């Protein structure tokens, strides 16, 4: 491997932020030949230790992914996540149009396994999950939502959009009418960590979302 398959959208001596492609896993898997973000770490740093993933993104989700180049930087960034001081903005193309222009999904989630497949479902006894949302554009048939994840639960954006009544296009778990060959129309648009100096990046939408964004008049 001599070339990175993803753009670097922020870099300093302590962090790199990449625009992760949809379909690329973040973690290496010795049982799979598919290349992961971790597999490209030797091209990001020549230091004996690191780099380290600060957080994760689902394999099917594109966008901002923060990588630490120093151990103390990793500790500082993870403290921001633990203390809920991170601003994470996602864009999602969903089916239909919500009845309101903005709102807050406040539904706890729990992992449910059925027929050897798992998903995150609403459960009053589950983990607290909060997602602010607003409409960025729509043609009445599909809508682009901006999602601010106030908590970081697994599949939170995907499960909350489905619970809102507007599942994400291409979501083969939470959208029963999705085509198995469709890309998940979700990406991490922006991330902001209040470090010193502040860590901020904004990713460009992946190519597979551009036509959908045009249809939403964006």
């Amino acid at each position: 491997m001599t070339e990175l398959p993803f753009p670097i959208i922020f870099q300093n001596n302590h962090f790199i932020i990449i625009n992760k492609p949809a379909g690329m896993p973040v973690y290496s898997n010795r049982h799979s030949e598919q290349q992961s973000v971790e597999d490209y770490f030797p091209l990001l740093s020549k230091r004996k230790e690191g780099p380290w993933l600060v957080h994760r993104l689902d394999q099917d989700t594109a966008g901002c992914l923060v990588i630490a180049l120093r151990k103390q930087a990793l500790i500082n960034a993870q403290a921001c996540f633990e203390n809920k001081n991170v601003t994470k903005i996602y864009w999602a193309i969903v089916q239909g149009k919500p009845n309101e222009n903005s709102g807050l999904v406040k539904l706890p989630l729990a992992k449910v396994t059925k027929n050897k497949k798992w998903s995150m479902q609403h459960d009053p006894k589950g983990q607290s999950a909060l997602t602010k949302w607003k409409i960025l554009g729509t043609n009445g048939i599909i809508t682009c939502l901006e999602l601010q994840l106030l908590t970081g639960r697994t599949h939170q954006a995907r499960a909350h959009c489905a619970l809102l009544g507007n599942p994400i296009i291409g979501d083969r778990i939470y959208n029963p009418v999705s085509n198995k060959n469709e890309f998940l129309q979700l990406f991490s648009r922006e991330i902001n960590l209040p470090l010193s100096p502040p860590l901020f990046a904004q990713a460009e939408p992946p190519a597979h979302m551009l036509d959908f964004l045009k249809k939403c008049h964006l």
Side-chain angles (χ1 to χ4, degrees), residues 85-96:
N85 289 330
V86 179
T87 301
K88 296 176 289 181
I89 303 294
Y90 286 71
W91 283 7
I93 309 295
V94 302
Q95 289 188 199

Side-chain angles (χ1 to χ4, degrees), residues 149-164:
L149 305 189
L150 303 181
T151 51
R153 308 306 177 203
T154 300
H155 287 189
Q156 179 177 320
R158 299 165 67 173
H160 272 180
C161 283
L163 290 167
L164 187 63

Side-chain angles (χ1 to χ4, degrees), residues 19-167:
N19 188 351
K20 186 188 83 67
M24 175 177 279
V26 295
Y27 297 112
S28 299
N29 183 349
R30 59 188 178 88
H31 300 296
S32 173
E33 295 182 358
Q34 187 173 9
Q35 297 298 313
S36 70
V37 173
E38 283 189 327
D39 290 324
Y40 290 90
F41 276 5
L43 299 181
L44 298 179
S45 174
K46 302 302 182 184
R47 292 171 61 87
K48 291 182 180 180
E49 290 189 329
W52 299 269
L53 290 162
V54 172
H55 61 119
R56 68 180 300 277
L57 284 179
D58 290 343
Q59 180 172 332
D60 293 332
T61 303
C64 296
L65 181 68
V66 183
I67 298 165
L69 301 176
R70 303 285 193 276
K71 192 60 177 286
Q72 188 59 51
L74 172 69
I75 293 169
N76 294 342
Q78 289 185 329
C80 288
F81 278 88
E82 290 170 4
N83 295 325
K84 297 181 174 60
N85 289 330
V86 179
T87 301
K88 296 176 289 181
I89 303 294
Y90 286 71
W91 283 7
I93 309 295
V94 302
Q95 289 188 199
K97 178 181 178 294
N99 294 328
E100 306 294 332
N101 291 323
S102 62
L104 174 67
V105 181
K106 191 178 179 182
L107 297 172
L109 299 172
K111 186 175 182 179
V112 175
T113 301
K114 186 177 182 180
N115 298 326
K116 297 183 179 180
K117 295 182 179 181
W118 66 270
S119 63
M120 301 299 290
Q121 301 294 333
H122 171 48
D123 183 340
K125 297 181 180 179
Q127 290 184 305
S128 172
L130 303 171
T131 304
K132 288 177 65 175
W133 63 270
K134 68 178 181 180
I135 293 176
L136 294 181
T138 185
N139 64 4
I141 300 173
I142 62 173
T143 299
C144 179
L145 296 181
E146 178 184 281
L147 309 172
Q148 182 177 354
L149 305 189
L150 303 181
T151 51
R153 308 306 177 203
T154 300
H155 287 189
Q156 179 177 320
R158 299 165 67 173
H160 272 180
C161 283
L163 290 167
L164 187 63
N166 303 98

